[in-house]
Amino acid sequence: MDHQATTRVYVVSDSAGETGEAVVRAAAMQFYPAHVDIVRAPFIHDSEGIDKVLGTASAHGGIVVFTLVIPKLRDELIRKAKALRIPYIDLLGPIVSSLGQALQQEPRRQPGMIHPLDEEYFKKVEAVEFAVKYDDGRDFSGIQKADIVLLGVSRTSKTPLSMYLAHKRLKVANVPLVPEMQPPSAIYSIPKEKIIGLRIDPDKLNVIRQERLRTLGLAENATYANVERIKIELEFADKIMSKIGCVIFDVSNRAVEETASLILDHIEHVERG
């Protein structure tokens, strides 16, 4: 086998061409270390654009891969590629056709429809990065920037809730409540509707903390899991949350998804006014 083999693939699209390029790169990995030279030809909207790409492909060789959703352009490219004996692959055509038959619906034939999905994806990534940065009081400056601020003692699911809500594109900061440390003053200056208090049964929390200590290889009778200590923490947390006047959800016997659903319902209710 010639490990230095190279072929050129022209990715033709009536949008940015990112989908076509991603598919070609994924396929090319199956032939490593052979080299595939990808040339993207984005925003092709007319015959002139098609002629230019096919002219280059004809002169220098290679394959044309396209994601054209406008039938007229797609048919023109296929007709001209055949005439010039240029190998071509229609990435979207067969899938769109099959989905149309299954759904008994005509496709929109609108270029660039992947971009709203991209935008949603990047919002999700941004929210996840936000949750990581402002997790467990690492940086209290996030309180002012957050869509939601979670308050609660240790092991009330603040971090998993933050990550779950981040995947719903919400920027979440969470603040641990500890009697030895007053919470940041910022929690009293933002709208209370943005703050969610998390409450838990002391016996339930005791079990959770003992399990946590066991996982870490520490003694289960440590202060962290002491029932009296837990009650002091919960009383302190209740005072803070009452002072703020925020909504409080009991997480004692709820899965993260259930609590998150309550929070999302609360947000929707607040937005509706």
Side-chain angles (χ1 to χ4, degrees):
M1 183 199 298
D2 178 8
H3 291 304
Q4 301 304 313
T6 300
T7 192
R8 180 170 292 180
V9 179
Y10 299 87
V11 178
V12 182
S13 174
D14 40 25
S15 185
E18 294 170 354
T19 303
E21 182 175 349
V23 172
V24 172
R25 288 195 185 281
M29 289 301 295
Q30 299 299 317
F31 300 94
Y32 182 84
H35 181 66
V36 175
D37 182 19
I38 300 174
V39 179
R40 199 195 296 188
F43 306 110
I44 300 297
H45 297 137
D46 52 32
S47 298
E48 184 180 350
I50 289 175
D51 290 341
K52 185 176 180 180
V53 175
L54 293 182
T56 303
S58 180
H60 301 285
I63 303 169
V64 172
V65 172
F66 62 93
T67 57
L68 299 172
V69 297
I70 300 174
K72 180 181 176 182
L73 283 177
R74 186 189 66 229
D75 294 345
E76 181 177 351
L77 186 148
I78 292 173
R79 185 179 72 254
K80 291 179 176 178
K82 283 181 177 178
L84 293 169
R85 298 183 180 278
I86 299 171
Y88 64 87
I89 301 170
D90 181 0
L91 285 181
L92 288 183
I95 300 173
V96 171
S97 177
S98 296
L99 279 175
Q101 291 177 19
L103 296 169
Q104 297 185 334
Q105 182 178 330
E106 281 296 312
R108 296 187 185 183
R109 308 289 184 189
Q110 181 180 337
M113 294 192 71
I114 192 70
H115 291 295
L117 297 179
D118 286 345
E119 185 178 350
E120 292 299 300
Y121 170 77
F122 288 119
K123 282 182 179 177
K124 185 187 296 184
V125 170
E126 185 180 0
V128 169
E129 290 176 346
F130 187 96
V132 171
K133 182 175 181 179
Y134 299 109
D135 178 48
D136 207 30
R138 290 178 186 169
D139 183 348
F140 289 135
S141 67
I143 292 173
Q144 300 285 359
K145 309 170 192 173
D147 298 316
I148 292 292
V149 177
L150 301 178
L151 299 180
V153 301
S154 175
R155 311 313 292 177
T156 49
S157 300
K158 296 189 299 299
T159 297
L161 272 171
S162 295
M163 297 306 296
Y164 186 96
L165 293 168
H167 281 82
K168 300 296 182 181
R169 298 175 297 283
L170 289 170
K171 293 180 179 178
V172 184
N174 72 72
V175 177
L177 296 178
V178 185
E180 291 75 19
M181 183 177 68
Q182 285 298 315
S185 58
I187 67 168
Y188 300 110
S189 62
I190 63 173
K192 65 180 181 181
E193 291 78 16
K194 291 175 62 173
I195 301 177
I196 304 292
L198 303 175
R199 179 180 285 148
I200 189 169
D201 177 78
D203 293 330
K204 178 75 172 179
L205 184 55
N206 175 248
V207 172
I208 292 173
R209 288 190 176 182
Q210 284 184 343
E211 181 59 34
R212 176 61 174 165
L213 290 171
R214 193 178 302 120
T215 301
L216 295 173
L218 302 174
E220 295 175 31
N221 60 353
T223 304
Y224 181 69
N226 179 275
V227 175
E228 292 307 313
R229 166 65 186 186
I230 286 173
K231 287 180 179 179
I232 291 171
E233 288 186 35
L234 292 176
E235 287 175 8
F236 174 76
D238 277 344
K239 285 180 182 178
I240 297 296
M241 292 185 280
S242 296
K243 183 177 178 181
I244 294 170
C246 62
V247 65
I248 300 172
F249 294 120
D250 193 317
V251 302
S252 301
N253 297 300
R254 287 196 174 100
V256 169
E257 295 83 358
E258 292 179 273
T259 307
S261 180
L262 291 173
I263 293 172
L264 291 170
D265 287 344
H266 167 72
I267 294 170
E268 185 179 343
H269 178 74
V270 169
E271 289 177 346
R272 286 201 308 263

